[in-house]
Amino acid sequence: TFKIKAQDPGIITRLAGLPLKPAEGAEPRPAEVVLASSGPLSSGAAALVVIASPGLDASFNGRAYWPEGGSMSFAGPLNVKAQDVQEVMALIGTKLPGGIAGTPVEGLIDIAGEDSTWKLSSKQLVLGNSTLSGTLSVKTAAGAATTIGGDIASDRVTVTALLGALVAVLVYWIARK
């Protein structure tokens, strides 16, 4: 078990091999990260990761795998509370379309994945003013577009968020042509 303090959470998590990157345009802020594991990573160690920073609190309590010559993977529950959902997505090394940036998020997410392929599931995730449930698959590839798919239910959808996501998709498709 060890605890690290730094001026920005991305500094610490990159040292630990996690892909967290600071949100675009975000000011550096103090962060504290606690990392603990028990057992051999090669066969799946019990793992605890806690990130505490103004605007971002996240805790993972699951399993971490790091086979020799392979990439690290994680499986288990992630409890999050963040002022910007993009910082939560940065924990797995990706981001969502711009229309959702700046939206607060809070709840429990079951995560499973490694490197560039992740599956996120939740039954009661609060995103802005909406409660979401369902599963989301995210795949990123170097130099390629991020692929996002899934089945998500919401108790409400704001017009601003919906239009923002649609505009982001249209801009993406126009840029590709």
Side-chain angles (χ1 to χ4, degrees), residues 99-100 103 127-133 152-166:
I100 201 165
T103 305
L127 180 65
N129 294 322
S130 302
T131 302
L132 307 177
S133 62
I152 300 171
S154 175
D155 65 341
R156 71 187 79 166
V157 177
T158 64
V159 174
T160 305
L162 182 59
L163 289 177
L166 290 174

Side-chain angles (χ1 to χ4, degrees), residues 81-107:
K81 182 176 183 179
Q83 291 176 351
D84 186 348
V85 67
Q86 294 292 35
E87 289 196 320
V88 175
M89 295 307 292
L91 290 169
I92 62 169
T94 192
K95 63 181 182 176
L96 294 171
I100 201 165
T103 305
V105 63
E106 183 173 356

Side-chain angles (χ1 to χ4, degrees), residues 17-63:
L18 299 172
L20 176 63
K21 301 170 191 153
E24 290 177 24
E27 292 294 320
R29 61 196 191 278
E32 182 175 285
V33 176
V34 175
L35 301 168
S37 70
S38 176
L41 284 170
S42 61
S43 59
L48 172 69
V49 179
V50 179
I51 301 171
S53 181
L56 173 64
D57 289 307
S59 62
F60 171 81
N61 191 358
R63 306 221 49 94

Side-chain angles (χ1 to χ4, degrees), residues 69-82:
S71 59
M72 186 175 266
S73 64
F74 295 91
L78 173 69
N79 195 356
V80 297
K81 182 176 183 179

Side-chain angles (χ1 to χ4, degrees), residues 132-150:
L132 307 177
S133 62
T135 301
L136 188 67
S137 297
V138 180
K139 183 171 182 155
T140 57
T146 298
T147 304
I148 300 172

Side-chain angles (χ1 to χ4, degrees), residues 116-135:
S116 62
T117 304
W118 294 87
K119 181 179 175 185
L120 313 169
S121 302
S122 186
K123 293 181 181 155
Q124 292 268 331
L125 185 69
V126 178
L127 180 65
N129 294 322
S130 302
T131 302
L132 307 177
S133 62
T135 301

